Amino acid sequence: MPKLPVFKMFIDGQWQSSSSSQTFQKLNPATGRPIGIFQRGSKHDVNDAIESAEKAFGKWSEIPAPKRGKILLKVAELLEKNKESLAKELTEEMGKVLEESRGDIQEAIDMAEYMAGEGRRLFGKTTTSELKNKFAMTIREPIGVVGCITPWNFPFAIPSWKLFPALACGNTVVFKPSSDTPRCAIRLVEILEKAGLPKGVLNLVTGSGSSIGDAIVNDKRVRMVSFTGHRDTGKGILKKAGIKKVSLELGSKNVVIIMNDADLSLALDGVVWGAFGTTGQRCTAASRVIVHDSIKEKFEKMLLERTRKLKIGNGLDKGVQVGPLINKEALRKVHKYTRIGLKEGAKLLIGGKRYGIKGNFYHPTIFTNVSPKMRIAQEEIFGPTTAIISAKNLDDAIEKANSVEYGLSFSIYTKDIDKAFEAIRKLQSGIVYVNASTIGAEIHLPFGGVKESGFGREGGWTAIEEFSNEKTVYVDYSGKLQRAQIDVD
Ligand code: NAD
């Protein structure tokens, strides 16, 4: 067996081992073979990373934002140049099919380009004062040291949604990626280093979420925590963060609604992509399908036929559409929900079992006759499982769609413009798609949820609002004391 490569953490501009001398291995989810040895960072390493970020903040925040943006342009260029090899590594590390891995990197490229431009658009506002000869405006300022904690399912895209706007705004960063995708995080940081990011501006600590994640969240020197991950982890972070800015991008139980006037083959494409793309491991996955009673049987047959043909396998192999689950624990969790669904009385249309004996593969799984209260219709499964629920009419569909604790990305297929607009207004989610699936967010628009899917918005102009403070400035050039609310005439 060839010797495994050993990867380091990046603190204060140096690639270094953990002070604990502890390491962990990361396995390829398709083959079960280890891909490398990674550092299990300690609280001491987190302390060094925060100290380094704090030290670098003064100089970095004073560099004019358009200049900071130029580094991101270089990042985009390097990502583009290395796209194919990075995509292969990504697939090897997390199992996503190669085409989707390319998409993951493309998202990071797009975000780098967009945020480079934002360096020239850190707009404040000006407005009128209620008093004469007084000027009122706002300016954007960086927040300070930002802790960015990310999951594994978009190992380039999600860190880029955080790091790039944070850096463009002039913050310095302590980055803690998921232990399931440390290598992608290291590759991204290598690129930022190569692009010319000054020492200490970005620090990477790898290792367990519960120890080093906690150390980042608890530290008062960290002025903001930007977290993407599971709802329960997010709840814990919110409790521990104290008085600092927190943004939470959490899980969901998304839905595709299909009305009886919908283009069914279009809806079919959307459901298959939404439910089984990335093996259902997306916060925006379509894990519920609400179908109008009158077309339910027909649509089920179409869905069954298409699902049967899906090619499962190693994401590096040509033609594969559904890759493995991220790890053994995810495999157990997905299968646990199959058992729960059966116990609850839902009808298993297809799947419900492991695929093969090697790797973490699971058959795309569809339950029907699901009632909205069942756990498989309420809880995030984060695997290739979807639940079909029937509805009498639009009101019924919307009520059922909104009957979950989450609200990230909901969709409706209908040709009726009145119904579409009614749904846009009434669906309780941060994102609504009409005649498109639940997945497909673009980087220049706000992204985020409502209810227990979290708060805060990433992407587009809202990312800049998220990663900066807006300072209010009054300039009184009247030469006398003017008292707001008192000297009104
Ligand atoms: P997770 O919550 O287990 O882990 C996310 C990150 O938090 C990891 O880096 C982990 O190490 C860290 N962490 C764990 N415990 C921590 C603690 N106590 N303090 C601080 N950090 C801690 O989630 P995951 O399994 O990596 O990702 C899947 C989840 O992420 C799903 O629920 C999915 O819906 C959600 N997700 C949401 C979005 C979104 O934008 N809304 C996007 C992708 C994934």
Side-chain angles (χ1 to χ4, degrees):
M1 184 131 162
K3 224 172 144 221
L4 285 174
V6 179
F7 293 90
K8 304 271 177 84
M9 305 186 296
F10 190 63
I11 299 171
D12 204 21
Q14 301 292 324
W15 289 96
Q16 49 186 270
S17 303
S18 168
S19 63
S20 70
S21 308
Q22 287 182 13
T23 56
F24 65 97
Q25 282 191 5
K26 159 68 195 161
L27 308 181
N28 176 331
T31 63
R33 284 198 284 271
I35 63 163
I37 295 172
F38 298 88
Q39 305 302 314
R40 198 178 287 285
S42 65
K43 290 188 175 150
H44 184 77
D45 299 321
V46 170
N47 182 58
D48 287 351
I50 296 173
E51 207 170 281
S52 145
E54 214 188 15
K55 215 167 58 198
F57 177 72
K59 259 196 185 160
W60 176 245
S61 58
E62 278 174 17
I63 292 177
K67 266 204 179 154
R68 292 195 297 254
K70 282 202 173 129
I71 295 181
L72 293 177
L73 273 188
K74 183 80 186 152
V75 168
E77 195 186 307
L78 290 169
L79 283 168
E80 185 71 59
K81 198 167 146 205
N82 296 288
K83 190 172 175 184
E84 205 49 33
S85 64
L86 292 173
K88 280 195 184 126
E89 283 200 340
L90 195 167
T91 293
E92 206 182 48
E93 188 172 34
M94 83 136 283
K96 212 181 260 208
V97 304
L98 194 54
E99 190 185 18
E100 290 184 39
S101 295
R102 288 190 193 109
D104 199 312
I105 317 261
Q106 185 58 49
E107 205 168 310
I109 294 169
D110 295 344
M111 188 56 92
E113 285 172 351
Y114 182 89
M115 288 303 160
E118 283 299 278
R120 293 191 180 269
R121 281 188 297 268
L122 294 181
F123 296 128
K125 291 191 178 104
T126 58
T127 184
T128 50
S129 164
E130 63 183 48
L131 294 163
K132 279 185 198 155
N133 297 330
K134 191 175 170 192
F135 194 87
M137 65 179 168
T138 66
I139 52 173
R140 296 223 157 261
E141 291 190 332
I143 295 170
V145 177
V146 176
C148 296
I149 304 177
T150 58
W152 47 268
N153 63 334
F154 283 85
F156 277 88
I158 292 178
S160 78
W161 284 63
K162 298 186 187 303
L163 304 186
F164 300 169
L167 295 172
C169 287
N171 303 288
T172 54
V173 174
V174 176
F175 172 29
K176 196 262 171 265
S178 164
S179 301
D180 275 305
T181 46
R183 189 172 66 182
C184 286
I186 287 166
R187 296 295 184 232
L188 185 62
V189 172
E190 282 170 353
I191 282 178
L192 279 145
E193 183 193 13
K194 229 178 178 173
L197 203 64
K199 178 175 140 174
V201 171
L202 172 62
N203 302 273
L204 168 74
V205 189
T206 52
S208 129
S210 50
S211 64
I212 59 171
D214 260 11
I216 295 170
V217 173
N218 288 336
D219 199 298
K220 282 193 175 164
R221 293 168 296 174
V222 175
R223 302 281 173 202
M224 173 183 180
V225 171
S226 173
F227 171 78
T228 300
H230 195 273
R231 179 199 42 191
D232 298 344
T233 318
K235 274 187 180 166
I237 286 176
L238 200 55
K239 270 195 202 139
K240 289 176 197 152
I243 303 177
K244 58 166 64 95
K245 193 166 182 181
V246 176
S247 89
L248 300 176
E249 299 286 348
L250 310 176
S252 188
K253 192 71 187 172
N254 309 296
V255 67
V256 171
I257 296 173
I258 308 172
M259 296 309 296
N260 50 351
D261 59 19
D263 176 337
L264 286 196
S265 53
L266 186 68
L268 178 67
D269 286 345
V271 168
V272 172
W273 174 227
F276 305 129
T278 325
T279 321
Q281 301 172 111
R282 286 185 181 237
C283 52
T284 51
S287 54
R288 297 180 297 156
V289 184
I290 298 182
V291 190
H292 192 279
D293 280 338
S294 63
I295 50 155
K296 178 172 170 272
E297 219 180 292
K298 184 174 174 195
F299 185 75
E300 270 176 16
K301 268 195 196 140
M302 290 166 73
L303 182 58
L304 197 56
E305 199 180 315
R306 179 74 75 81
T307 305
R308 237 182 233 127
K309 291 187 192 143
L310 288 173
K311 194 168 167 200
I312 307 166
N314 188 327
L316 287 176
D317 296 342
K318 222 174 165 198
V320 164
Q321 292 157 294
V322 183
L325 289 160
I326 187 70
N327 53 35
K328 289 273 177 279
E329 199 189 318
L331 197 60
R332 273 193 292 277
K333 183 180 171 197
V334 170
H335 192 60
K336 181 187 89 179
Y337 275 101
T338 295
R339 289 201 305 271
I340 289 172
L342 289 170
K343 217 166 154 196
E344 287 178 313
K347 182 177 162 198
L348 184 64
L349 271 187
I350 189 169
K353 55 180 190 262
R354 263 186 94 166
Y355 173 89
I357 46 165
K358 264 204 211 146
N360 309 327
F361 297 101
Y362 202 80
H363 279 276
T365 298
I366 304 169
F367 277 105
T368 188
N369 301 347
V370 176
S371 84
K373 290 269 174 306
M374 288 180 180
R375 284 182 66 191
I376 54 166
Q378 289 286 328
E379 296 170 20
E380 186 183 49
I381 300 172
F382 222 57
T385 302
T386 197
I388 300 179
I389 300 165
S390 67
K392 295 193 290 279
N393 51 37
L394 183 65
D395 282 347
D396 189 30
I398 290 175
E399 194 184 323
K400 286 172 175 164
N402 290 340
S403 71
V404 292
E405 290 173 337
Y406 296 103
L408 182 57
S409 185
F410 290 3
S411 133
I412 181 164
Y413 283 81
T414 179
K415 284 187 183 150
D416 182 331
I417 192 155
D418 298 346
K419 286 201 177 90
F421 271 91
E422 195 177 337
I424 290 170
R425 212 168 34 78
K426 291 186 175 165
L427 286 173
Q428 295 166 358
S429 58
I431 303 162
V432 173
Y433 289 92
V434 177
N435 293 326
S437 190
T438 51
I439 59 190
E442 299 177 29
I443 63 101
H444 58 296
L445 280 103
F447 182 95
V450 299
K451 294 161 80 176
E452 298 213 349
S453 289
F455 51 79
R457 288 290 178 272
E458 297 195 333
W461 60 94
T462 45
I464 294 302
E465 288 162 12
E466 202 67 49
F467 287 99
S468 62
N469 287 327
E470 198 164 1
K471 178 181 270 178
T472 306
V473 182
Y474 298 103
V475 181
D476 190 321
Y477 55 96
S478 67
K480 59 180 184 195
L481 172 68
Q482 296 201 89
R483 297 172 303 172
Q485 295 88 38
I486 297 170
D487 299 329
V488 286
D489 297 325

